[in-house]
Amino acid sequence: MVHLFSRHRPPSQGRGEDTRRRILETALQVFATEGYEGASTRQLAEHAGVNLPAIQYYFGSKEGLFRAVIESIIERTESHMAPLAVEVKAALADPTVPNATLLELLCSMLEAFVSLVTGGPHVEAKRQLFARSEVEDAPGLELLHESGKHHVFTPCRELVARMLRASPDDDQIELRTMALLGQVTIFCHKGAHEPGLTPERVQAIQGLVREHTLAIFQVLQSEASVH
Amino acid sequence: MVHLFSRHRPPSQGRGEDTRRRILETALQVFATEGYEGASTRQLAEHAGVNLPAIQYYFGSKEGLFRAVIESIIERTESHMAPLAVEVKAALADPTVPNATLLELLCSMLEAFVSLVTGGPHVEAKRQLFARSEVEDAPGLELLHESGKHHVFTPCRELVARMLRASPDDDQIELRTMALLGQVTIFCHKGAHEPGLTPERVQAIQGLVREHTLAIFQVLQSEASVH
DNA sequence: GACATAGTCTATCGGCCGATATAAATGCGT
DNA sequence: ACGCATTTATATCGGCCGATAGACTATGTC
């Protein structure tokens, strides 16, 4: 409660930075596998090789540590999606952009979404935490959920709306966009890591999501042009 | 531990049945909103209007109560999917069935899946628990996950494999089926209940999932026939 | 009315939780 | 070498957890 705005960053002058980062990174793993409530401070401390009060010292509280973990993921999400976000924004601002370009951008968004949750360091942990943000209720998870909405869902929804000549606030557009994104989010669930998400499988996922998306809008637009 | 096989059903001759059912039904709600670890026995007892030891008396333990809740959901899942499962099994056994019929069955499966997680009594709770089964780890959740796999995923995968003339064990078939089902499972997540899943929205979801699925296989099969 | 059984109650156990008080150690400028 | 701030360690607090012991009540049978 007290640390909502103070961020409780102790005035470390470089000496404790190592410890702080080690706690942060191991906490990502523990929170991902055990959940927020399931991970105990003793467990978190042990995995980081520090003693219990170090968590309060560096992050103020268990909740503070969790929020720090979430924020670090959000930062990486933003930087991962940023370049594409610029392209999408530009395309949406220009009313002359053809549907083919919009469709290609949508496919790229979905592809980037796949690589976001299946690539980079700490993939497994990120994937699990992202999945939890869609289900659990924990002190900072709504931030992660909102981040996904803002950086992935909203741009996709606007692309879909433009292609189908509808308002982005149209309920059907929203539902359709969710269905499209569901093709990706399901790979954050348990079933996805039984044989493991090898690079080949990731590439296969990206390929077939693209196939599906292209097929859907190919048919949807040809039907629309008939009417 | 002790009650793994005994199911700890006390020899109630009707008198305690009411209490037992009341605990079971309110527990469904509490477990759904709070999660397995998040729901305390005191909370469960209070919501059911009983005192604490009643849970041990009727279900042996908190875990026993949770397993009972899960099993009741699985039973309803089975009876909900059973009629369609028969049709699918018959179609798969007959090698002369045309693709159009298989595709129609796949659409029906997805439609039934939607109505499974968005209809019937205790919808919200069922939806949330189903979502949790894809993310959390709790004593009986793997049963629910397996049930979904057996009653929804596997039939769909076999239909997809047949339509695309591939083995059901083909990795790409599996991934493709997951993507299709993801269109539905995403509506079990948090975002789905902000404006609420009204009957109109449910119908809209069923309609567009059908549209998407038809479009995907229309294109996929026309491409296959070209080669 | 005595008794057995089923069901409900109060009180309490040991254990793990997050957090803190506080002491010990560490490194650094001087 | 000393003083001081930073960092790490020990010991412990109050609180909630799941589970149980055991007394009490209601009900149906003879």
Side-chain angles (χ1 to χ4, degrees), chain B residues 37-80:
Chain B
E37 297 203 320
S40 75
T41 52
R42 284 164 177 83
Q43 209 177 345
L44 290 161
E46 194 184 350
H47 273 80
V50 299
N51 32 78
L52 214 171
I55 287 166
Q56 273 76 18
Y57 179 73
Y58 282 102
F59 299 93
S61 64
K62 177 185 174 181
E63 176 176 335
L65 171 54
F66 187 70
R67 299 192 106 101
V69 168
I70 296 297
E71 281 171 26
S72 78
I73 293 182
I74 290 179
E75 282 171 20
R76 273 188 277 176
T77 301
E78 286 176 357
S79 64
H80 183 90

Side-chain angles (χ1 to χ4, degrees), chain B residues 111-222:
Chain B
E111 217 164 277
F113 189 24
V114 172
S115 66
L116 173 66
V117 296
T118 60
H122 317 293
V123 203
E124 276 299 288
K126 266 169 45 187
R127 183 181 60 68
Q128 282 177 267
L129 266 187
F130 185 80
R132 286 186 189 279
S133 80
E134 300 284 311
V135 173
E136 268 181 35
D137 253 338
L141 274 186
E142 76 282 352
L143 294 177
L144 186 54
H145 182 69
E146 286 301 315
S147 165
K149 230 173 165 172
H150 184 257
H151 292 96
V152 181
F153 177 72
T154 301
C156 287
R157 188 186 54 182
E158 289 178 2
L159 287 170
V160 170
R162 264 284 284 278
M163 279 190 281
L164 300 181
R165 298 176 218 294
S167 160
D169 301 327
D170 186 336
D171 199 36
Q172 200 190 332
I173 296 300
E174 191 157 334
L175 295 175
R176 215 180 274 279
T177 309
M178 286 184 71
L180 287 170
L181 289 173
Q183 294 185 106
V184 179
T185 57
I186 194 173
F187 292 105
C188 297
H189 294 346
K190 272 193 214 160
H193 48 133
E194 278 170 17
L197 278 175
T198 65
E200 299 83 39
R201 277 168 69 91
V202 169
Q203 212 166 342
I205 293 170
Q206 288 179 323
L208 63 88
V209 167
R210 173 178 286 265
E211 269 184 354
H212 289 189
T213 309
L214 289 175
I216 288 168
F217 283 92
Q218 187 176 316
V219 171
L220 249 50
Q221 288 174 4
S222 74

